[in-house]
Amino acid sequence: MINQDFNSILELVQAFPDQQSCMDHLEQLRWNGNVVSPFDATSKVYDCKGNKYKCKNTGKYFNVKTNTIFDNTKLPLQKWFLAIWLVTSHKKGISSIQLGRDLNITQKSAWFMLSRIRQCFGMDNDQMEGEIEADEAYIGGKNKNRHADKKVKGTTDDKAPVLGMVQRGGKVAAKKVDDTTFESLALEIVKNVKQGAKLYTDEYASYKRLKRVYDHKVIKHNRRQYVRGKVHTNTIESFWALLKRGIFGIYHFTSKKHLQLYVDEFCFRYNTRQVGESARFNLLLQNTENRITYSELIK
C-alpha cells in the first residue's frame, strides 16, 4: 500500500528514515509489484540482490531509479524526497540558495535538483470544456537589469509571451508561445479546449476569429469593463498574479529557455490545489521518468 500518512516535513522524515524505505516507496509507485524493464518493457525480469533487477532480453541491470530524475545521482533519496516536498508544498516555490541551505548541499547541486524536478511538472491534461477563460501575459525580466556581460544587444525587453487557459472550477494550462498572432494563440487553444466550449477573452484582435470554433464572448478592458455577467477573465488573471509573484519574489529572473518549466511548476500547484500535501508529493513521484543531464541543461 502506498504511504500517504505524512502531512509535514517531520512526518515525511519519519515515514522515510533511510534509503531503503525510499526505494520501497518508489517501487510501489512506479511498478506496484509488477517490475518492468526500462530497456525492454516486454522482457522477463530477474530479481537480484540490493534492489537490483536484470532485464533478460538486454542483459542489463537496473533499479527503480534508472531512467528517472534520481538516476546517476550521489545524493541520497531522502534528500530528494525532502526537496520534492519543499518544492511542491511551497506555494511560490523555493530558490536554489534556500534549498541548498535546507538540505546542507551546494547551491549548484540544489539548482540541478530543482531543474530535474521541474522536468516532472509538465503533465498531459484532458481537453477543457464548459466555461474557459483565455488570456496572454508577458513573463520575464528587462534587459537593462542584466549584468553588463549578459546584456543582449538590440533589445530592451527580455519578456516572453505565455498563453493561459483555465476551466472555471477546473484546471489551468499555460504555454510559452513565439508570438501573440492568431495562428500561435489559436493553435494552443484548439489543442487544449474542446470545440463548442464557451470561451471568454479580452478584446485582443488575435482572438476574434475563434468565434468560428467556440461560443466566444469578449470583455472590453479598454472601456474599463471587467465583468459582464459571466463574461470576464478574472480567474486566469489571478493565476498570472500567482505566477508573477512567484517568479519576481522567489526566482527573480527566468530565461526564455527555461520559462516553460517554471510555468509548468505553477500550473502543477494550481491544478493540485484541492489535494493534500502527501497526494501532491506522490503524484510528482509518479511522473519522474523525465531525466535530463547537467550538460543538456546548460547547453
Side-chain angles (χ1 to χ4, degrees):
M1 183 176 179
I2 296 173
N3 188 350
Q4 298 200 36
D5 298 328
F6 46 91
N7 291 292
S8 67
I9 292 180
L10 178 60
E11 291 178 358
L12 180 78
V13 174
Q14 292 173 340
F16 306 107
D18 50 33
Q19 183 80 357
Q20 188 59 51
S21 59
C22 295
M23 294 287 286
D24 293 342
H25 188 67
L26 280 178
E27 287 192 8
Q28 183 66 22
L29 282 172
R30 190 176 182 187
W31 293 324
N32 194 25
N34 182 28
V35 180
V36 179
S37 169
F39 308 113
D40 185 349
T42 64
S43 175
K44 183 177 180 180
V45 173
Y46 299 113
D47 190 353
C48 305
K49 293 182 179 180
N51 299 308
K52 290 185 178 181
Y53 300 89
K54 184 178 181 180
C55 174
K56 179 181 178 182
N57 291 355
T58 64
K60 295 180 179 180
Y61 291 91
F62 65 93
N63 60 27
V64 71
K65 299 190 297 180
T66 304
N67 287 354
T68 71
I69 63 173
F70 312 115
D71 197 1
N72 196 30
T73 176
K74 296 180 180 179
L75 292 174
L77 280 177
Q78 191 182 48
K79 288 197 174 185
W80 277 98
F81 277 28
L82 283 168
I84 291 172
W85 176 271
L86 291 170
V87 174
T88 56
S89 62
H90 285 200
K91 302 305 180 184
K92 296 180 183 178
I94 184 171
S95 69
S96 57
I97 293 176
Q98 185 61 53
L99 182 64
R101 291 170 180 166
D102 291 344
L103 299 184
N104 193 27
I105 59 177
T106 65
Q107 184 270 336
K108 181 179 178 180
S109 295
W111 179 80
F112 187 37
M113 289 181 80
L114 287 173
S115 299
R116 277 196 167 186
I117 292 170
R118 287 194 188 98
Q119 299 290 325
C120 307
F121 284 121
M123 299 181 179
D124 293 331
N125 295 315
D126 296 332
Q127 277 193 308
M128 301 175 183
E129 56 186 347
E131 295 181 309
I132 313 299
E133 299 175 26
D135 189 34
E136 77 288 346
Y138 287 85
I139 310 296
K142 293 182 178 180
N143 195 51
K144 68 179 183 180
N145 293 332
R146 290 172 175 255
H147 289 292
D149 61 338
K150 294 183 178 180
K151 291 186 183 293
V152 180
K153 293 183 179 179
T155 182
T156 58
D157 202 347
D158 198 35
K159 294 186 178 182
V162 180
L163 172 68
M165 298 147 282
V166 62
Q167 179 177 320
R168 289 184 181 173
K171 294 186 176 182
V172 67
K175 300 294 180 181
K176 182 174 75 72
V177 290
D178 294 331
D179 51 56
T180 56
T181 61
F182 167 76
E183 289 75 14
S184 296
L185 299 185
L187 179 64
E188 292 298 334
I189 291 175
V190 170
K191 281 182 183 178
N192 290 276
V193 181
K194 285 187 177 180
Q195 185 174 343
K198 293 183 179 180
L199 181 66
Y200 304 133
T201 72
D202 59 22
E203 69 277 20
Y204 189 52
S206 294
Y207 297 121
K208 286 183 178 180
R209 283 183 279 172
L210 291 171
K211 62 183 179 182
R212 301 174 185 176
V213 183
Y214 303 104
D215 180 8
H216 183 207
K217 298 290 190 299
V218 174
I219 192 74
K220 297 182 179 180
H221 290 163
N222 59 359
R223 298 183 184 178
R224 296 189 177 182
Q225 184 184 72
Y226 300 102
V227 179
R228 190 179 74 252
K230 289 188 175 182
V231 183
H232 63 80
T233 57
N234 295 342
T235 313
I236 188 63
E237 287 171 4
S238 295
F239 173 75
W240 292 141
L242 291 171
L243 174 62
K244 290 178 180 180
R245 282 200 298 268
I247 290 179
F248 296 157
I250 302 297
Y251 302 123
H252 305 306
F253 170 80
T254 176
S255 66
K256 292 180 180 179
K257 175 183 176 181
H258 298 298
L259 176 59
Q260 186 62 55
L261 297 177
Y262 288 87
V263 171
D264 289 341
E265 176 183 339
F266 283 87
C267 285
F268 178 87
R269 289 199 192 91
Y270 184 94
N271 293 338
T272 57
R273 64 194 182 281
Q274 295 180 340
V275 303
E277 303 289 359
S278 58
R280 186 184 299 112
F281 170 83
N282 283 325
L283 180 61
L284 189 128
L285 283 181
Q286 290 174 300
N287 194 47
T288 55
E289 297 180 29
N290 294 284
R291 178 175 176 258
I292 187 171
T293 64
Y294 186 80
S295 59
E296 291 172 335
L297 191 62
I298 65 173
K299 184 172 61 175

